[in-house]
Structures are given as structure tokens and as C-alpha cells.
């Protein structure tokens, strides 16, 4: 029988053009918000299990941060829903924007999203429950006039700077483990005549 097909890698994600908002640019894997208040959202639809990625950031800490949120309820120049400000996009979620949240302002940050448990964990800290229900998005945000800032995302297209948990998959570029082929029984050759 023919061997099973080789596993294919999950492609690099692109931002959701209908849900992302505000003034921003995306150059490869770097998101730059070019004016105050933006949300650049990457869909986690059709994913299960644990998804791992890393990022670095530049600029003011409120001008370049990430989170995981539900679908936004408002569109325009908005950042993450921060629980009561008029400039949030209305999508309930969790955000990591300052060193008090465990963010390494000048280093590599790791983000583990558990889609089954509906939690997100930054840099190995205790997981935060993602409030609400419905589709999930990774968000890159700017929530200040002190910007601009940028976030560079490593989905798995490059070697990670930290250790990926063994029970998690890189967001992309990593094929699913291949199944071992079923061995084909062979018969031994007949013994040589004596």
C-alpha cells in the first residue's frame, strides 16, 4: 500500500480584515498601530487544544500589547474591551499590557492559549479565564496617544526563544505529528536446501 500523505503545516495566519479596526499597518509579522486606539485581530476559529506563540514589542507599553478576546461589538478606532471605557471594542477578553501583568517589556513573551479550557497564560504564569462566549481572537492593541508601538509575532515560523509546552502546538508552520505507518507483514524466505 502507498504510504500515508505527509502532514501539512498550518499556514501563517493573517489578520481578520472585517474585525480589525483603527489605523494600523501589518508588515510580515509586525503590527504597528499608527494612531491611538486600534485592534488587529487574528481568528482562532476551528482550533482546539493548546496553541503557543511568542512576541516582542516596542514603544510605549500601552501602545503595543496583546490579548485574547471575543468578537468585538463595536467597530472603529478602539482597543481591547477594558471594562468600562468608551474606547474599548466591546469584545470581552484578557489583555497583557504592563510589567504588572507579567509582560517582559524588552524581551520575548510567550502566550499559551488553551482553547478547550478557554484560558490564556502569559510567560508561564497562572492562566486567566477568557470571559464571555463565542469565537476567540488574538488581539494586538494600541490603547494610548503615547504611541506608536509595534508587536512582532512569532507564530512558529522561527525557532522559539522559550520552551513550548509539550502538550501545545505552535500556532502555525508546524505539521501535526505524522502517524506511524502500519508495518506490512513480510514472510521469511524459505530455508536454503542442505
Amino acid at each position: 500500500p502507498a504510504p500515508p500523505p505527509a502532514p501539512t503545516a498550518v499556514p501563517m495566519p493573517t489578520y481578520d480584515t472585517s474585525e480589525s479596526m483603527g489605523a494600523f499597518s501589518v508588515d510580515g509579522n509586525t503590527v504597528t498601530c499608527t494612531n491611538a486606539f486600534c485592534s488587529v485581530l487574528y481568528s482562532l476559529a476551528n482550533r482546539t487544544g493548546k496553541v503557543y506563540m511568542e512576541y516582542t514589542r516596542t514603544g510605549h507599553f500601552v501602545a503595543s500589547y496583546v490579548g485574547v478576546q471575543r468578537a468585538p461589538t463595536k467597530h472603529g478606532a478602539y482597543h481591547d474591551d477594558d471594562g468600562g471605557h468608551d474606547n474599548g471594542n466591546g469584545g470581552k477578553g484578557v489583555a497583557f499590557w504592563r510589567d504588572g501583568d507579567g509582560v517582559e517589556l524588552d524581551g520575548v513573551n510567550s502566550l499559551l492559549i488553551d482553547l478547550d479550557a478557554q484560558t490564556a497564560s502569559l510567560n508561564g504564569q497562572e492562566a486567566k479565564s477568557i470571559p464571555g462566549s463565542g469565537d476567540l481572537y488574538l488581539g494586538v492593541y494600541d490603547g494610548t496617544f503615547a504611541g506608536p508601538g509595534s508587536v512582532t509575532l512569532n507564530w512558529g515560523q522561527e525557532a522559539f526563544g522559550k520552551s513550548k509546552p509539550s502538550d501545545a502546538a505552535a500556532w502555525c508552520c508546524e505539521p501535526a505529528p505524522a502517524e506511524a505507518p502500519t508495518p506490512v507483514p513480510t514472510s521469511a524466505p524459505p530455508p536454503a536446501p542442505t
Side-chain angles (χ1 to χ4, degrees), residues 18-156:
S18 64
E19 297 290 8
S20 298
M21 61 194 80
F24 65 89
S25 65
V26 178
D27 182 13
N29 297 315
T30 299
V31 177
T32 303
C33 291
T34 55
N35 200 347
F37 311 141
C38 82
S39 298
V40 182
L41 303 179
Y42 293 83
S43 176
L44 283 153
N46 302 317
R47 301 294 301 260
T48 59
K50 295 179 180 177
V51 176
Y52 180 85
M53 60 166 298
E54 294 178 347
Y55 71 94
T56 56
R57 43 148 322 279
T58 64
H60 191 279
F61 66 96
V62 186
S64 53
Y65 63 102
V66 304
V68 182
Q69 72 163 75
R70 306 293 175 178
T73 60
K74 300 189 307 187
H75 291 83
Y78 299 111
H79 55 77
D80 69 298
D81 185 84
D82 60 358
H85 290 110
D86 292 335
N87 48 8
N89 68 30
K92 299 296 182 198
V94 296
F96 306 98
W97 56 276
R98 61 182 179 266
D99 55 357
D101 294 326
V103 175
E104 294 183 21
L105 298 176
D106 296 317
V108 174
N109 292 278
S110 65
L111 185 63
L112 180 65
I113 305 165
D114 187 331
L115 296 157
D116 299 328
Q118 302 282 287
T119 61
S121 173
L122 183 74
N123 293 327
Q125 295 184 343
E126 183 176 342
K128 292 184 177 184
S129 184
I130 303 165
S133 62
D135 292 338
L136 286 174
Y137 297 84
L138 169 81
V140 177
Y141 310 107
D142 181 344
T144 182
F145 288 99
S150 67
V151 173
T152 299
L153 304 160
N154 180 1
W155 309 105

